[in-house]
Short mmCIF file of all heavy atoms in Angstrom, two decimals:
data_model
loop_
_atom_site.label_atom_id
_atom_site.label_comp_id
_atom_site.label_asym_id
_atom_site.label_seq_id
_atom_site.Cartn_x
_atom_site.Cartn_y
_atom_site.Cartn_z
N THR A 14 7.04 170.00 84.51
CA THR A 14 5.96 169.02 84.46
C THR A 14 4.60 169.74 84.13
O THR A 14 3.68 169.08 83.68
CB THR A 14 5.78 168.29 85.81
OG1 THR A 14 5.66 169.24 86.87
CG2 THR A 14 7.02 167.41 86.03
N LEU A 15 4.53 171.02 84.38
CA LEU A 15 3.31 171.81 84.07
C LEU A 15 3.06 171.81 82.57
O LEU A 15 1.90 172.00 82.14
CB LEU A 15 3.45 173.23 84.53
CG LEU A 15 3.02 173.60 85.96
CD1 LEU A 15 3.29 175.07 86.21
CD2 LEU A 15 1.57 173.28 86.18
N ALA A 16 4.09 171.58 81.76
CA ALA A 16 3.94 171.63 80.30
C ALA A 16 3.28 170.37 79.75
O ALA A 16 2.95 170.33 78.55
CB ALA A 16 5.25 171.85 79.62
N VAL A 17 3.07 169.35 80.57
CA VAL A 17 2.44 168.08 80.10
C VAL A 17 0.97 168.12 80.49
O VAL A 17 0.60 168.27 81.65
CB VAL A 17 3.15 166.88 80.75
CG1 VAL A 17 2.44 165.59 80.38
CG2 VAL A 17 4.61 166.86 80.34
N ASP A 18 0.14 167.94 79.48
CA ASP A 18 -1.34 167.90 79.70
C ASP A 18 -1.84 166.49 79.39
O ASP A 18 -1.76 166.01 78.24
CB ASP A 18 -2.00 168.92 78.76
CG ASP A 18 -3.49 168.94 78.92
OD1 ASP A 18 -4.00 168.26 79.84
OD2 ASP A 18 -4.19 169.62 78.13
N PRO A 19 -2.39 165.77 80.41
CA PRO A 19 -2.92 164.45 80.19
C PRO A 19 -4.06 164.38 79.19
O PRO A 19 -4.41 163.32 78.69
CB PRO A 19 -3.35 163.99 81.58
CG PRO A 19 -3.54 165.23 82.35
CD PRO A 19 -2.54 166.19 81.82
N ARG A 20 -4.65 165.54 78.91
CA ARG A 20 -5.74 165.62 77.95
C ARG A 20 -5.34 166.13 76.58
O ARG A 20 -6.21 166.53 75.78
CB ARG A 20 -6.90 166.44 78.54
CG ARG A 20 -7.50 165.87 79.80
CD ARG A 20 -8.52 166.84 80.38
NE ARG A 20 -9.07 166.37 81.60
CZ ARG A 20 -10.22 165.68 81.71
NH1 ARG A 20 -10.89 165.37 80.59
NH2 ARG A 20 -10.68 165.22 82.83
N SER A 21 -4.07 166.24 76.31
CA SER A 21 -3.62 166.77 75.02
C SER A 21 -4.09 165.90 73.87
O SER A 21 -3.65 164.71 73.73
CB SER A 21 -2.10 166.84 75.01
OG SER A 21 -1.60 167.22 73.73
N ALA A 22 -5.00 166.40 73.04
CA ALA A 22 -5.58 165.64 71.97
C ALA A 22 -4.56 165.19 70.93
O ALA A 22 -4.54 164.08 70.49
CB ALA A 22 -6.64 166.43 71.30
N ALA A 23 -3.61 166.10 70.56
CA ALA A 23 -2.66 165.79 69.52
C ALA A 23 -1.74 164.62 69.98
O ALA A 23 -1.49 163.65 69.22
CB ALA A 23 -1.78 167.01 69.22
N ALA A 24 -1.24 164.66 71.22
CA ALA A 24 -0.34 163.61 71.70
C ALA A 24 -1.08 162.30 71.90
O ALA A 24 -0.56 161.25 71.57
CB ALA A 24 0.30 164.08 73.02
N LEU A 25 -2.30 162.39 72.44
CA LEU A 25 -3.07 161.17 72.67
C LEU A 25 -3.45 160.48 71.38
O LEU A 25 -3.30 159.28 71.23
CB LEU A 25 -4.33 161.50 73.48
CG LEU A 25 -4.16 161.72 74.97
CD1 LEU A 25 -5.42 162.34 75.57
CD2 LEU A 25 -3.83 160.43 75.69
N LEU A 26 -3.83 161.29 70.41
CA LEU A 26 -4.20 160.72 69.11
C LEU A 26 -3.01 160.05 68.44
O LEU A 26 -3.09 158.95 67.91
CB LEU A 26 -4.80 161.80 68.18
CG LEU A 26 -5.37 161.36 66.87
CD1 LEU A 26 -6.62 160.50 67.13
CD2 LEU A 26 -5.71 162.51 65.97
N ALA A 27 -1.84 160.72 68.49
CA ALA A 27 -0.65 160.18 67.85
C ALA A 27 -0.22 158.86 68.52
O ALA A 27 0.13 157.88 67.84
CB ALA A 27 0.51 161.20 67.92
N THR A 28 -0.21 158.82 69.87
CA THR A 28 0.24 157.63 70.55
C THR A 28 -0.76 156.47 70.39
O THR A 28 -0.33 155.34 70.09
CB THR A 28 0.44 157.90 72.06
OG1 THR A 28 -0.73 158.50 72.60
CG2 THR A 28 1.59 158.84 72.26
N ASP A 29 -2.03 156.75 70.53
CA ASP A 29 -3.02 155.65 70.45
C ASP A 29 -3.08 155.09 69.02
O ASP A 29 -3.18 153.86 68.87
CB ASP A 29 -4.40 156.13 70.89
CG ASP A 29 -4.51 156.19 72.41
OD1 ASP A 29 -3.49 155.99 73.08
OD2 ASP A 29 -5.59 156.45 72.95
N MET A 30 -3.09 155.97 68.02
CA MET A 30 -3.14 155.48 66.65
C MET A 30 -1.83 154.72 66.31
O MET A 30 -1.87 153.68 65.61
CB MET A 30 -3.31 156.65 65.69
CG MET A 30 -4.69 157.27 65.74
SD MET A 30 -6.03 156.09 65.36
CE MET A 30 -7.45 157.17 65.48
N GLY A 31 -0.71 155.23 66.81
CA GLY A 31 0.56 154.50 66.59
C GLY A 31 0.56 153.18 67.22
O GLY A 31 1.02 152.17 66.61
N LEU A 32 0.06 153.05 68.49
CA LEU A 32 0.00 151.73 69.13
C LEU A 32 -0.91 150.80 68.40
O LEU A 32 -0.61 149.59 68.24
CB LEU A 32 -0.50 151.93 70.58
CG LEU A 32 0.54 152.43 71.59
CD1 LEU A 32 -0.14 152.80 72.89
CD2 LEU A 32 1.63 151.40 71.77
N ALA A 33 -2.10 151.31 67.95
CA ALA A 33 -3.04 150.43 67.22
C ALA A 33 -2.40 149.94 65.96
O ALA A 33 -2.50 148.72 65.61
CB ALA A 33 -4.31 151.21 66.92
N ALA A 34 -1.68 150.79 65.22
CA ALA A 34 -1.00 150.34 63.97
C ALA A 34 0.07 149.29 64.29
O ALA A 34 0.26 148.36 63.56
CB ALA A 34 -0.43 151.58 63.28
N ALA A 35 0.81 149.52 65.40
CA ALA A 35 1.85 148.58 65.78
C ALA A 35 1.28 147.19 66.16
O ALA A 35 1.86 146.16 65.75
CB ALA A 35 2.64 149.13 66.97
N VAL A 36 0.16 147.19 66.86
CA VAL A 36 -0.50 145.92 67.17
C VAL A 36 -0.91 145.18 65.91
O VAL A 36 -0.69 143.98 65.79
CB VAL A 36 -1.70 146.17 68.08
CG1 VAL A 36 -2.49 144.87 68.24
CG2 VAL A 36 -1.24 146.62 69.47
N VAL A 37 -1.51 145.91 65.01
CA VAL A 37 -1.92 145.29 63.72
C VAL A 37 -0.75 144.77 62.94
O VAL A 37 -0.80 143.67 62.38
CB VAL A 37 -2.77 146.30 62.90
CG1 VAL A 37 -3.06 145.74 61.51
CG2 VAL A 37 -4.05 146.63 63.57
N ALA A 38 0.40 145.49 62.95
CA ALA A 38 1.55 145.07 62.26
C ALA A 38 2.10 143.74 62.87
O ALA A 38 2.51 142.82 62.13
CB ALA A 38 2.65 146.14 62.33
#
């Protein structure tokens, strides 16, 4: 669990942008 960073920019950007695109779709 130490390998997970809640502030990881790459993961947050990918998930949030993906969710936004899914909502628009």
Side-chain angles (χ1 to χ4, degrees):
T14 55
L15 270 179
V17 175
D18 180 7
R20 297 174 181 269
S21 173
L25 284 166
L26 188 66
T28 52
D29 281 7
M30 290 300 182
L32 282 171
V36 169
V37 171

